[in-house]
Amino acid sequence: MKDQQDIPVASSHRQRPSRSGGRAGRITARAIDRQQKTGYAGVTGGTYQPLSEQDIHRIHATALDVLEKIGIGDPTPEILEYALPKGCLLSDDGRLRFPRALVEDVLARVPKKFDCYAPDPKHDHQLEGSRIYTGTSGESVSILDYETQQYRPSTLTDIYDAARLTDQLEHIHAFYQPFIATEYSQALYVHDINVAYAALSGTSKSISISTIHAEHVDALVGLFDLYVGCEGGFIKRPFCTIGGCPIISPLRFGKENTEVMVRCAELGIKYGNACAPQSGATSPAALAGTLVQCFAESLACLVVMHLIRSDAKLIFGMWPFISDLRTGGFSGGSGEAALVAAAAVQMGNYYDLVQSIPSGMTDSKTMDAQAGYEKALTTTAVALAGGNHLCAYPGTVGSLMGLSFEGMLIDNDMLGNILRLVRGIEVNDETLSFDVIQDTVFGTGHYLNHQQTLQLMQSEYLYPRLADRRASGEWEDSGSPDIYQAAREKVKQLLASHYPGYIKPDVDARIREKFPIKLDPLDKKPGNGRW
Amino acid sequence: MSESPNFSPTAGTYRREGGSAARRARRKLSCTGNAVQPGMHSGSYKPLSERDIQRIHDTALDILTKIGIGDPLPEILHYALPKGCILGEDNRLRFPRSLIEDLIAISAKQYMLYAPDPRNDFEVGGERVYFTSAGEAVSILDYDTQKFRPTKLVDLYDAARLADQLEHIHSFGQPFIAADYSHDLYIHDINIAYAELAGTSKSFALGIAMVAHIEPIIALFDTYLGEEGAFLKRPFCTFGGCPIVSPLRFGKENAEVLVKVAELGLVGDIAVAPQAGATAPAALAGTLAQSFAETLACMAVVNLVKPGSAINFGMWPFISDLRTGAFTGGSGEEALIMAAAAQLCNHYGFITSVASGMTDAKTMDAQAGYEKAITTTAAALAGGNLISTYPGIVGSLLGQSFEGMVIDNDMLGNIQRLVRGIEVTDETLSFSVIEDTVFGSGHYLNHPQTLKLMQSEYVYPDIGDRRTTGDWQDNGQETIYQLAHDKVKSLLSGYYPEYIKPDTDSRIREHFPIKLELEDMQVGNGRW
Amino acid sequence: MTQEVNETEEDIILAELADDELVEQMHDDLYDGLADEIAEGTQILLDRDWGPDKVLEKALVSGMNIVGVDFRDGILFIPEVLQTANAMKAGMAILSPLLAEIGAEPVGKMVIGTVKGDIHDIGKNLAGMMMEGAGFEVIDLGVNTLVEDYITALNEHKPDILGMSALLTTTMPYMKVVIDELKSQGMRDDLIVMVGGAPLNEEFRKAIGADTYCRDAATAVEVAKKMVGERRAIAT
């Protein structure tokens, strides 16, 4: 289907194998091969399309009706300043209504692709079409402790550790702030600065910070400029996205988040909106109705950003959520969540928008079979649908309440499997293998040591890090561990050793001089007693 | 997309509905079947392009024409040679291209799968999705010891009783053998038939490798029905196996069964499972071509025996872990190639049988969860008609976990909800509902639409945990595996359906060596 | 990647290497699965008056030990291990007759076959190739093997080990038929009976009276080496 790969022609006569340097050569080669596994970043989805074209048009038309006739409530003065001159109407009920033509016009004009930079350029990627990159995400408040199975408040060092873990997991391509540092939740300036500092200390992948204060955006830019080493340096390669929820469903602007969005548009910083109406509670119980409202709310953000600055970069975030109507609680792991998110992806792709989409928001409280299947079925659906920035919530459990470090590792393998699925099957003369089949049927009778097998064994197949593929007897002999146990050991190993020096000592000193950095230097070295 | 829920114009007007008692009764009925139902239309995931499909098809036909299938049995030659198939000096049977194309055209495109209880009958066809159990496992994963122990006949009876109570397992394919009788295949086969009949009223399948056992089993079913010849009129059981040994050879015993089943006019239930990199090419496209050719050969055989025969087109390409050469059922490659197989077979109108849920995890942990979900989601969205979802099977098809069946049942419900899709109509688009709410209460929780849809738009899991974290912490912090264990006990300790009436049972026991003890088939047997 | 390595290493002339270097190069060549080079190296060492037992031990078996370690550690994949086994076989083809001449004890001999009714032979093939890789002489009876065929082959080849495989749950009971026949012919104690196949397990092994059940080909090699060694220790 796609030709991402050249498969050497399998010859019908047996080629003479050649020297490849014996053991030393092979070990080197295999290490390189492992690194190349990250080649799954940016695979193209879109083969799953839950909506018909007519469905899309109808949802679109209704969303435009909603924006024109119902509008969005509580517009901030900043928004009005930009929106009213362009033809938006403020009515007596205080709601801002968007003319149809304006919305259509914006949809046609917004940038259809943009770069997602990372502190280390090797992790840069381009968001476009239905290419997929995965990331952490969230606003959790706790960590699920492996030993006690208790949820404890998350801290700043946890953010640093989660960043370090992400840094080592090949199928998680970006580190979007997964939880807050609860000890600083009363001091938001300290909080936001330190979250950014902890993320930058732990990973060289693209990062994202959630803040609810517009002035913190400027402060963060200052911090990033120090990190980069020159004023204005960050804005040339903005490796950090700012995220938030500018809409309070149904159909109102939320003041603080909206101000942040406006400020990001003014500065030219990428902003990710998460419009997360909850079906049956803050959006209609009919899934189609939830899509309509969610699309309208996200379009409002898109229009506002664009009116402020025509090259503003919004990661279009339709995040339709599902309620469990027995209790009214949020249910992130349901089939409905998978379905409505996949449909949202298809909407975004239809209009060629760069978009984010959530998945993996299991309702299970621990990393058990339920967590596994809920994360997998939601992520599989949205990945096949082709959501660009896939906020897969690796390791997040309890309906977004907490993070399990072990879960991040388990989900890394799961994401690898899903990305492999999305990559698809390359169909061409070589891969169709008629000659190989003929060789084998009239030859050895099996393919295990056919040249084609040797050539493809690594490129065609993904080998998980952690997933158990041993014989059952071997598993029993090792004490019948489940994957959670196995992940625990591996997490300790990964976090006890990886203390990257992404912030150089002199830079660090300059940062600490200007900003109230709370992350203890001792916590950034081995022997800190955490792992 | 499909049918829209029925919106009553009187929505929002309240009437007396009989209070708590009536509501309890109604909820019990409707909680389980409103939002999803067996056989929903699918196929919105298409991993292959039209051109890919054409090329795989062409290569498969090249394989059948030029390489052929080895070791054809006399029975197959008897039917095939007069129709233009060619037996080479290399003892390989080659199928002319045009013959295969003709047989594809006449092969049955939809048919009934009957069940002992007609309410569980269903018709397969199109891109409608049904879930079934399946397998040839040999062990049970013991919950307490976390060790695998050999299966017993009574386990099969228990698995049937469990599947009978799990709404998202639509048919019961024999998931494992009865290892305690594996030394005597006649006793084994008769008894698995009896155990399944005793435990479930859903459509079921038997893996039978000896053609000679089919007629005695049919006689057993006739005894059950009380009339000779009755079974063949409404065959509620399919017989199957693996008639192909990859690459591209017939396997004698299973192929004999295939021919016999076609002669009797029964549905052939086959699984053609070449393993990429071992018994099929390492290139996934090549494995698709070979397994399509192998499955087409089986389809050709039954249609040569009897034109228009029904066959579950079981194209089951398997994946190897090439580090060790072992089968890996839970990989992303497995999800991908099965979904591609489903799409390919649906393209030609076959009744697509594919497999999913074949996790490599040894226990019902997060790995089992995600591997089962990825593979099943892909197969279901691609529109596999009969998906052997291997509920509760772990260890790369090696062992059965009863708890896993209950966990997977919830997963299957979720996946069906995904398959159902979103109905987009004037009502569901909800403009006026949104308008009402924005200018009204500001939330939807008690909007008439919400009341109307809360059960038909949403699936509620049976044991899936959706409590708050605090609630969970205060109540023992159980995993879903623990919750499932309790559920299995409660489902199996009290449910002993009397599908075989006592007098019928004595007649069966008179004629057949039934080994399942009657005391094991009632409350108080000490197992649960 | 391999291309670059080739350019630097293609010029190696084995005959010009000193003994130590040659042995080391043969370890690499075994690792890379080069059958011709191994045959050539084996012959060179013999021509330098190395005894066949010394060539076997120093050049081949110790080379294959490295392969075993890296297979276990996931560095080498099974298709590569089979290439190394093929190279080993090329060396053994030269050494086996010479070992017999000097009365040196061969690594071991195995008769292997998939049982009656079963023609799923991928596991059996894998085990056979891996055994050859470890220096065993392997007589492969193929698939659908009847008890008479096993007996005939055992009488003809006098192996240390009889290996039987089955994939189908319906064919595995035939292993017991074979073992019972061995008993009744008084041959059972002369053999190590090894069984394998996906549906088998330790309980089944006990029930049919086999000596060992091997869950995979690599285990089979390890167990075979160990059991043949033990048996010989008792015999002497």
Side-chain angles (χ1 to χ4, degrees):
Chain A
M1 190 168 160
K2 304 149 204 158
D3 29 22
Q4 291 171 346
Q5 164 181 26
D6 293 321
I7 291 173
V9 182
S11 67
S12 53
H13 62 89
R14 201 181 167 82
Q15 285 174 334
R16 186 181 160 280
S18 54
R19 291 202 169 94
S20 62
R23 185 186 210 181
R26 200 71 53 96
I27 289 173
T28 314
R30 206 110 304 163
I32 294 169
D33 293 336
R34 288 230 169 90
Q35 284 170 15
Q36 287 168 346
K37 291 276 172 52
T38 53
Y40 285 112
V43 291
T44 304
T47 45
Y48 164 45
Q49 304 192 333
L51 300 172
S52 70
E53 186 136 357
Q54 196 204 350
D55 293 341
I56 293 174
H57 288 151
R58 297 195 67 184
I59 292 165
H60 175 86
T62 313
L64 263 55
D65 276 350
V66 168
L67 286 173
E68 195 166 50
K69 297 175 185 162
I70 303 176
I72 309 285
D74 303 341
T76 59
E78 295 87 344
I79 288 181
L80 294 178
E81 180 193 327
Y82 289 109
L84 294 179
K86 298 289 169 64
C88 292
L89 304 168
L90 183 65
S91 24
D92 293 343
D93 56 6
R95 303 187 69 83
L96 188 66
R97 288 173 166 80
F98 298 77
R100 232 181 169 79
L102 174 69
V103 179
E104 297 276 21
D105 190 50
V106 168
L107 256 181
R109 286 165 184 270
V110 292
K112 307 299 188 203
K113 60 170 135 179
F114 40 83
D115 290 314
C116 188
Y117 295 104
D120 183 336
K122 81 173 176 210
H123 294 302
D124 287 355
H125 49 262
Q126 194 167 55
L127 294 169
E128 63 176 319
S130 45
R131 298 185 66 184
I132 299 168
Y133 298 88
T134 66
T136 56
S137 186
E139 278 280 283
S140 295
V141 293
S142 49
I143 301 289
L144 173 62
D145 184 89
Y146 176 82
E147 304 294 344
T148 64
Q149 288 293 289
Q150 295 283 338
Y151 283 82
R152 63 161 175 82
S154 49
T155 66
L156 182 60
T157 49
D158 291 325
I159 291 181
Y160 170 61
D161 288 344
R164 291 192 297 132
L165 202 50
T166 300
D167 207 44
Q168 301 175 78
L169 298 177
E170 66 273 31
H171 302 302
I172 304 176
H173 308 125
F175 183 70
Y176 283 17
Q177 183 190 337
F179 47 82
I180 62 168
T182 55
E183 73 267 47
Y184 301 109
S185 58
Q186 301 304 314
L188 286 181
Y189 175 70
V190 173
H191 180 271
D192 292 349
I193 289 295
N194 275 279
V195 167
Y197 176 83
L200 274 185
S201 301
T203 184
S204 65
K205 296 182 179 177
S206 185
I207 63 172
S208 166
I209 306 294
S210 302
T211 179
I212 57 166
H213 287 298
E215 62 269 31
H216 294 181
V217 175
D218 295 89
L220 287 170
V221 170
L223 173 74
F224 296 146
D225 277 350
L226 275 185
Y227 171 82
V228 175
C230 72
E231 202 172 320
F234 169 72
I235 218 72
K236 288 183 200 143
R237 279 188 85 259
F239 50 72
C240 177
T241 306
I242 303 294
C245 304
I247 295 286
I248 296 170
S249 298
L251 298 159
R252 284 185 300 147
F253 285 111
K255 182 169 180 297
E256 285 82 4
N257 276 284
T258 302
E259 286 167 359
V260 172
M261 174 172 76
V262 168
R263 186 67 189 140
C264 286
E266 289 169 347
L267 291 172
I269 295 174
K270 209 152 59 332
Y271 182 78
N273 73 300
C275 286
Q278 195 177 312
S279 73
T282 58
S283 67
L287 298 183
T290 288
L291 280 173
V292 164
Q293 183 186 311
C294 189
F295 191 50
E297 291 171 339
S298 303
L299 281 175
C301 297
L302 188 74
V303 171
V304 167
M305 291 276 290
H306 186 78
L307 292 182
I308 295 169
R309 189 165 160 168
S310 63
D311 65 347
K313 296 179 182 66
L314 178 75
I315 301 185
F316 192 77
M318 276 176 82
W319 288 33
F321 278 12
I322 297 294
S323 306
D324 185 315
L325 287 170
R326 292 173 303 188
T327 60
F330 159 61
S331 161
S334 57
E336 294 85 0
L339 174 59
V340 77
V345 166
Q346 198 189 342
M347 293 292 299
N349 279 341
Y350 188 81
Y351 297 101
D352 210 6
L353 300 171
V354 171
Q355 63 182 337
S356 73
I357 194 75
S359 74
M361 308 179 289
T362 183
D363 301 313
S364 179
K365 263 50 83 185
T366 186
M367 284 305 298
D368 60 2
Q370 183 188 344
Y373 78 70
E374 291 188 343
K375 282 168 172 286
L377 76 95
T378 52
T379 308
T380 302
V382 299
L384 288 175
N388 297 134
H389 190 78
L390 186 48
C391 296
Y393 283 96
T396 298
V397 285
S399 310
L400 300 186
M401 283 298 289
L403 183 110
S404 154
F405 286 116
E406 295 76 22
M408 288 179 73
L409 214 62
I410 296 170
D411 287 353
N412 179 62
D413 268 354
M414 176 193 79
L415 291 170
N417 277 358
I418 292 173
L419 293 170
R420 176 65 190 90
L421 170 66
V422 171
R423 178 184 135 195
I425 296 175
E426 294 82 15
V427 178
N428 57 47
D429 280 343
E430 286 76 30
T431 61
L432 283 165
S433 311
F434 182 85
D435 294 342
V436 176
I437 294 170
Q438 191 161 250
D439 271 7
T440 303
V441 167
F442 297 108
T444 60
H446 68 84
Y447 298 80
L448 278 169
N449 56 0
H450 195 283
Q451 280 304 315
Q452 188 201 48
T453 307
L454 280 152
Q455 278 153 6
L456 294 186
M457 64 187 191
Q458 292 207 272
S459 57
E460 191 80 328
Y461 301 92
L462 178 70
Y463 300 93
R465 267 196 198 206
L466 195 64
D468 197 318
R469 290 186 176 176
R470 294 176 295 176
S472 59
E474 210 179 322
W475 172 76
E476 285 179 353
D477 293 347
S478 69
S480 307
D482 67 11
I483 196 77
Y484 195 15
Q485 261 173 279
R488 178 61 182 169
E489 294 311 308
K490 191 76 185 173
V491 162
K492 281 191 196 165
Q493 211 181 351
L494 291 175
L495 285 181
S497 58
H498 183 67
Y499 290 93
Y502 291 137
I503 304 183
K504 298 273 167 292
D506 54 332
V507 175
D508 196 78
R510 273 197 294 279
I511 291 175
R512 285 177 187 267
E513 209 171 283
K514 281 221 158 136
F515 294 97
I517 300 302
K518 302 293 184 185
L519 192 62
D520 191 328
L522 291 178
D523 280 332
K524 295 172 69 182
K525 289 179 189 153
N528 54 49
R530 287 201 307 285
W531 298 101
Chain B
M1 241 176 105
S2 25
E3 290 154 44
S4 60
N6 182 20
F7 280 82
S8 141
T10 58
T13 58
Y14 297 93
R15 269 166 288 138
R16 292 204 173 87
E17 295 188 67
S20 162
R23 195 71 57 94
R24 275 176 181 268
R26 252 199 328 276
R27 197 114 314 156
K28 202 166 172 208
L29 277 178
S30 58
C31 229
T32 55
N34 264 353
V36 294
Q37 56 202 6
M40 283 178 313
H41 181 83
S42 185
S44 45
Y45 164 44
K46 299 193 187 304
L48 300 171
S49 69
E50 287 271 328
R51 184 172 159 274
D52 292 342
I53 290 175
Q54 195 52 50
R55 297 203 65 186
I56 293 165
H57 177 82
D58 285 345
T59 308
L61 263 52
D62 273 351
I63 290 169
L64 287 173
T65 312
K66 297 176 185 160
I67 302 176
I69 309 286
D71 306 339
L73 339 171
E75 294 88 336
I76 291 179
L77 294 177
H78 166 76
Y79 290 108
L81 295 179
K83 299 288 168 61
C85 292
I86 298 152
L87 183 66
E89 280 172 17
D90 53 7
N91 195 34
R92 303 188 68 82
L93 187 66
R94 291 175 169 81
F95 298 78
R97 221 181 169 86
S98 58
L99 176 66
I100 294 288
E101 302 273 20
D102 289 349
L103 295 174
I104 289 175
I106 63 163
S107 177
K109 302 299 188 289
Q110 57 182 26
Y111 44 81
M112 290 300 292
L113 286 178
Y114 296 103
D117 182 338
R119 284 175 298 182
N120 293 326
D121 289 354
F122 56 87
E123 189 185 57
V124 283
E127 288 174 315
R128 296 194 299 279
V129 176
Y130 294 90
F131 294 144
T132 176
S133 59
E136 277 279 284
V138 294
S139 50
I140 302 286
L141 175 63
D142 184 90
Y143 176 82
D144 291 312
T145 63
Q146 287 294 291
K147 302 259 188 211
F148 289 93
R149 64 160 175 83
T151 52
K152 296 188 297 243
L153 178 59
V154 73
D155 294 321
L156 189 62
Y157 169 65
D158 287 344
R161 288 192 297 134
L162 195 52
D164 205 44
Q165 301 174 78
L166 298 174
E167 58 188 314
H168 303 302
I169 301 174
H170 307 128
S171 113
F172 184 72
Q174 181 197 340
F176 48 80
I177 64 158
D180 43 352
Y181 294 102
S182 60
H183 55 277
D184 186 330
L185 291 180
Y186 175 70
I187 291 185
H188 179 270
D189 291 353
I190 288 292
N191 276 279
I192 57 172
Y194 176 83
E196 299 196 2
L197 194 55
T200 185
S201 67
K202 296 183 182 181
S203 173
F204 62 91
L206 298 170
I208 296 293
M210 303 282 279
V211 71
H213 296 171
I214 293 180
E215 287 187 350
I217 291 174
I218 291 178
L220 187 155
F221 293 149
D222 280 347
T223 310
Y224 163 79
L225 294 168
E227 181 194 342
E228 204 172 316
F231 173 74
L232 287 179
K233 288 182 202 147
R234 267 190 98 261
F236 50 70
C237 166
T238 56
F239 302 92
C242 306
I244 294 285
V245 176
S246 299
L248 297 160
R249 284 182 297 159
F250 284 110
K252 185 170 177 296
E253 281 77 7
N254 281 280
E256 284 170 356
V257 170
L258 181 69
V259 170
K260 177 74 178 172
V261 160
E263 286 171 343
L264 289 170
L266 296 169
V267 175
D269 187 31
I270 60 164
V272 173
Q275 194 178 312
T279 58
L284 297 185
T287 290
L288 281 174
Q290 182 188 309
S291 51
F292 193 48
E294 291 172 333
T295 320
L296 281 174
C298 297
M299 184 279 304
V301 166
V302 298
N303 279 288
L304 288 169
V305 171
K306 201 179 253 184
S309 279
I311 181 170
N312 298 338
F313 198 89
M315 177 175 167
W316 289 25
F318 277 16
I319 298 295
S320 308
D321 185 316
L322 285 170
R323 292 175 301 190
T324 60
F327 161 60
T328 159
S331 56
E333 294 85 359
E334 189 63 82
L336 174 59
I337 201 167
M338 278 297 179
Q343 186 195 355
L344 179 66
C345 302
N346 276 347
H347 186 83
Y348 295 97
F350 296 123
I351 302 306
T352 304
S353 156
V354 290
S356 74
M358 307 180 288
T359 183
D360 301 313
K362 284 0 139 227
T363 185
M364 283 306 299
D365 60 4
Q367 181 189 345
Y370 78 69
E371 291 187 345
K372 283 168 174 284
I374 295 172
T375 51
T376 307
T377 302
L381 289 177
N385 297 131
L386 275 171
I387 306 180
S388 292
T389 56
Y390 285 96
I393 298 280
V394 291
S396 313
L397 299 188
L398 200 82
Q400 172 80 61
S401 156
F402 285 117
E403 291 78 15
M405 286 176 74
V406 175
I407 296 171
D408 286 354
N409 181 59
D410 269 350
M411 176 189 81
L412 295 172
N414 274 327
I415 291 174
Q416 277 188 294
R417 179 64 191 90
L418 177 61
V419 165
R420 177 181 139 195
I422 297 174
E423 295 81 13
V424 179
T425 65
D426 281 342
E427 288 78 17
T428 62
L429 284 164
S430 310
F431 181 85
S432 54
V433 176
I434 295 171
E435 199 170 40
D436 274 5
T437 304
V438 167
F439 298 110
S441 69
H443 68 83
Y444 298 79
L445 280 169
N446 58 357
H447 192 282
Q449 188 201 48
T450 306
L451 283 157
K452 191 94 194 155
L453 293 185
M454 63 188 190
Q455 287 188 274
S456 59
E457 192 79 330
Y458 301 90
V459 174
Y460 298 94
D462 189 4
I463 60 164
D465 194 329
R466 291 185 177 174
R467 292 173 294 177
T468 62
T469 51
D471 204 359
W472 176 77
Q473 288 195 152
D474 295 344
N475 287 287
Q477 298 156 309
E478 286 165 307
T479 65
I480 198 73
Y481 194 18
Q482 288 169 290
L483 293 172
H485 187 58
D486 295 340
K487 184 77 184 180
V488 166
K489 278 192 204 161
S490 78
L491 288 175
L492 285 181
S493 59
Y495 183 76
Y496 291 90
E498 196 185 78
Y499 290 136
I500 305 178
K501 297 273 170 290
D503 54 333
T504 308
D505 196 81
S506 358
R507 268 197 297 281
I508 292 175
R509 286 175 189 265
E510 208 170 288
H511 286 96
F512 299 96
I514 302 302
K515 302 294 182 184
L516 195 59
E517 303 290 345
L518 284 173
E519 47 267 39
D520 279 333
M521 298 170 68
Q522 47 199 302
V523 179
N525 54 51
R527 288 202 307 285
W528 299 100
Chain C
M1 206 168 353
T2 42
Q3 219 53 39
E4 289 164 26
V5 181
N6 286 348
E7 282 164 21
T8 56
E9 299 208 8
E10 202 56 64
D11 297 323
I12 294 170
I13 297 172
L14 294 176
E16 291 175 357
L17 299 177
D19 285 7
D20 284 358
E21 291 169 339
L22 178 55
V23 165
E24 210 160 295
Q25 186 58 47
M26 285 175 71
H27 290 173
D28 273 358
D29 288 352
L30 258 183
Y31 198 99
D32 287 340
L34 306 180
D36 293 348
E37 284 74 1
I38 288 300
E40 187 188 344
T42 301
Q43 196 56 54
I44 292 169
L45 287 174
L46 290 169
D47 292 345
R48 292 181 189 174
D49 287 334
W50 280 42
D53 46 348
K54 187 177 167 191
V55 178
L56 174 64
E57 189 50 41
K58 296 262 189 276
L60 301 186
V61 171
S62 54
M64 288 306 283
N65 286 342
I66 300 172
V67 168
V69 169
D70 281 8
F71 173 58
R72 185 199 63 205
D73 292 348
I75 301 290
L76 280 182
F77 287 22
I78 202 78
E80 295 168 319
V81 173
L82 297 181
Q83 303 282 94
T84 72
N86 194 45
M88 179 75 181
K89 197 176 164 186
M92 288 306 294
I94 299 170
L95 291 181
S96 288
L98 302 175
L99 287 166
E101 269 175 35
I102 63 163
E105 203 146 29
V107 177
K109 199 190 264 190
M110 180 183 206
V111 163
I112 192 170
T114 302
V115 297
K116 175 178 172 253
D118 210 330
I119 60 169
H120 297 85
D121 59 352
I122 190 72
K124 183 262 306 171
N125 289 338
L126 191 51
M129 287 185 281
M130 296 280 278
M131 293 291 287
E132 285 181 334
F136 282 81
E137 185 186 343
V138 175
I139 298 102
D140 187 346
L141 304 181
V143 296
N144 197 17
T145 312
L146 304 177
V147 61
E148 308 89 84
D149 300 336
Y150 280 113
I151 302 288
T152 308
L154 295 175
N155 282 324
E156 184 188 340
H157 298 287
K158 305 269 177 243
D160 303 275
I161 304 170
L162 167 63
M164 290 187 283
S165 82
L167 180 78
L168 303 175
T169 48
T170 49
T171 56
M172 49 192 250
Y174 194 75
M175 293 179 175
K176 183 158 190 309
V177 174
V178 177
I179 292 174
D180 288 347
E181 183 63 19
L182 291 177
K183 283 182 189 157
S184 73
Q185 298 212 15
M187 301 163 69
R188 175 67 188 84
D189 296 338
D190 305 336
L191 287 165
I192 297 165
V193 177
M194 184 177 261
V195 294
L200 276 65
N201 53 33
E202 186 59 23
E203 284 82 4
F204 179 78
R205 193 275 302 169
K206 281 186 205 142
I208 62 168
D211 292 303
T212 178
Y213 150 70
C214 298
R215 58 191 171 217
D216 55 42
T219 316
V221 170
E222 290 312 307
V223 171
K225 283 200 275 194
K226 184 161 156 277
M227 292 187 83
V228 169
E230 283 168 0
R231 210 156 149 268
R232 286 178 183 169
I234 295 166
T236 51

